[in-house]
Amino acid sequence: MGSHGIRDRVAIVGMGCTPFREHWDRSTDDLLIDAANEAMTSASVPPEDIDAYWLGTMASGYSGITLSKPLKLDYKPVSRNENFCATGSEAFRNACYAVASGAYDMAMAIGVEKLKDSGISGLYAPGPVTDGTDPNLTAPALFSLLAPAYAERYGVDEETMREVMARIASKNHANGARNPRAQFQTEVSVEQVKASPRIAGWLGVHDCSGVADGSAAAIVVRAEDAYRYTDKPLFVKALSFVAGPSSGPMDPGYGYTSFTEVVRCAEDAYAQAGITDPRSQLALAEVHDCFTPTELVLMEDLGFSDPGQGWKDVLAGVFDRDGELPVNPDGGLKSFGHPIGASGLRMLFECWLQLRGEAPEQRKLESVAKGRTLGLTHNLGGAPGSCVSFISVVGSEPSA
């Protein structure tokens, strides 16, 4: 892949994140203002110092006016981004590139989605007109295909597969139970997950992420300016984005056990960041656990487990909060829900807290205490065989 990267040329100096939940009493404007103000406060910068803005939202507004009006950004450049579930991350990627190019000294990436009272589930929106051959399935139905396909390919019986999926859900809910910003703060046992009512195929209610409202924001500057704003900046090591050819649903050879887009995206991101062994080099990973079999497949596509070994690593606790590589230590989509435009930046916010040593005591990671300095965020948008993938790698130390 032709990608030069912007390693260590841009740094995050401020972040904000609202609680993700049913915000019946808060508008889209309110959520944007809350996230932006928290980010500006953490960087100790007034709004007039921010040169340009990138807004990620899929369904909660159109054009830059969605942000310029509530933040009173009179005559500032504000761009709206949409790229399925990677929408918030796309806003971040574009803000970073704008600063790295020298076009602006300081930029804000901010994502928002207000879904609970919008009339849509967040996983469906009217799409463009097609030739009528695209499958018309729900997201749970599409992602449910992963579980039996994985089980068949790697010889995992259905009972064991359900145990693996339940372990993933239970892990993420246990992490979210320690996070006051998460929508769901109750632990859910493996047995409860396995007993939950079926939604599609092998997926029960607790195998699926929820819907929520929320917003998150990041302020980025040139790396050489970062220490003017904070003594603990996060340096951007890699930004990779891949849009697939969408050939999977029409390809009889597509196996539903891997996201090729994620594999390509990871190769690019690791090359940019200089990562050769992500499982031992990363302190944490925030990945797109829209459904439990998605997280399982991602462990292999992201190189955390060898092909066909991910299910064993899940059962062995490798990705638990105190495991070898903590995955979704903030609770993930399972605990936060998925306000689409905000999720990518919410993941980045967990890296911001953990790598700066500011995570609450009950969520501090041993991997960080042992000296690991890198965090990864990942989004998957679309469906198996037809998706986009985003990966960022950020770190608390500039490269030597």
Side-chain angles (χ1 to χ4, degrees):
M1 177 183 291
S3 175
H4 301 295
I6 57 168
R7 185 178 182 182
D8 290 332
R9 290 165 56 185
V10 173
I12 307 167
V13 296
M15 287 206 74
C17 182
T18 71
F20 279 30
R21 55 197 50 158
E22 296 176 343
H23 285 293
W24 301 113
D25 59 340
R26 308 288 288 166
S27 68
T28 300
D29 288 1
D30 292 331
L31 296 174
L32 286 168
I33 290 169
D34 288 351
N37 283 345
E38 185 179 358
M40 288 186 284
T41 299
S42 72
S44 300
V45 297
E48 56 266 26
D49 283 5
I50 300 173
D51 302 315
Y53 295 77
W54 274 263
L55 165 69
T57 189
M58 191 184 85
S60 297
Y62 300 99
S63 87
I65 293 175
T66 303
L67 184 68
S68 68
K69 184 178 179 180
L71 264 60
K72 303 185 186 308
L73 306 175
D74 296 352
Y75 308 109
K76 293 269 189 175
V78 185
S79 300
R80 175 196 171 224
N81 292 94
E82 184 281 319
N83 223 330
F84 282 171
C85 300
T87 290
S89 294
E90 270 290 76
F92 178 67
R93 189 172 72 110
N94 280 274
C96 289
Y97 284 166
V99 170
S101 75
Y104 300 107
D105 296 329
M106 180 181 290
M108 174 182 284
I110 185 166
V112 70
E113 218 71 66
K114 188 78 169 64
L115 297 172
K116 295 300 294 187
D117 50 5
S118 69
I120 68 170
S121 69
L123 294 175
Y124 173 79
V129 176
T130 69
D131 62 3
T133 60
D134 289 346
N136 185 21
L137 298 173
T138 65
L142 288 165
F143 282 87
S144 74
L145 300 174
L146 299 173
Y150 184 97
E152 180 178 353
R153 178 172 181 179
Y154 296 116
V156 184
D157 62 70
E158 181 175 349
E159 183 177 350
T160 302
M161 191 68 189
R162 287 288 306 132
E163 181 79 12
V164 172
M165 293 158 58
R167 282 289 302 269
I168 289 170
S170 184
K171 165 183 72 74
N172 291 348
H173 277 294
N175 292 340
R178 293 166 170 78
N179 194 335
R181 295 179 196 258
Q183 178 173 213
F184 304 118
Q185 299 174 35
T186 302
E187 295 203 28
V188 180
S189 69
V190 169
E191 290 69 29
Q192 287 175 300
V193 178
K194 292 164 68 175
S196 65
R198 294 290 179 95
I199 295 295
W202 295 2
L203 300 184
V205 169
H206 286 306
D207 290 294
C208 309
S209 62
V211 178
D213 305 329
S215 181
I219 296 173
V220 295
V221 301
R222 290 187 298 264
E224 59 265 34
D225 298 333
Y227 289 105
R228 291 167 49 191
Y229 302 97
T230 175
D231 58 357
K232 294 186 289 186
L234 287 192
F235 297 92
V236 177
K237 306 291 184 180
L239 297 168
S240 182
F241 183 84
V242 167
S246 192
S247 58
M250 306 299 290
D251 179 1
Y254 180 66
Y256 288 87
T257 58
S258 176
F259 302 100
T260 306
E261 295 85 349
V262 176
V263 174
R264 297 286 190 92
C265 194
E267 290 172 351
D268 179 41
Y270 296 155
Q272 291 182 35
I275 290 176
T276 54
D277 183 3
R279 180 159 156 173
S280 67
Q281 291 176 274
L282 294 170
L284 73 154
E286 287 285 326
V287 309
H288 205 86
D289 60 318
C290 51
F291 302 95
T292 51
T294 313
E295 180 168 318
L296 170 60
V297 171
L298 290 176
M299 297 303 94
E300 299 179 6
D301 286 348
L302 291 168
F304 302 162
S305 296
D306 291 333
Q309 300 300 306
W311 67 277
K312 296 178 184 176
D313 290 337
V314 168
L315 294 178
V318 170
F319 308 118
D320 291 354
R321 186 163 42 84
D322 57 354
E324 183 179 347
L325 172 57
V327 171
N328 291 329
D330 70 346
L333 297 172
K334 283 295 292 115
S335 292
F336 272 81
H338 185 20
I340 297 167
S343 289
L345 285 156
R346 181 269 299 165
M347 296 170 169
L348 199 61
F349 186 73
E350 179 66 4
C351 293
W352 171 259
L353 294 178
Q354 292 287 357
L355 297 178
R356 287 160 47 95
E358 295 179 347
E361 196 62 38
Q362 67 271 23
R363 290 198 300 110
K364 286 186 182 299
L365 300 177
E366 191 174 329
S367 57
V368 176
K370 288 181 176 178
R372 295 192 195 181
T373 61
L374 299 174
L376 176 146
T377 71
H378 163 264
N379 293 120
L380 175 74
S386 178
C387 65
V388 300
S389 174
F390 169 86
I391 293 173
S392 80
V393 179
V394 295
S396 55
E397 301 290 339
S399 300

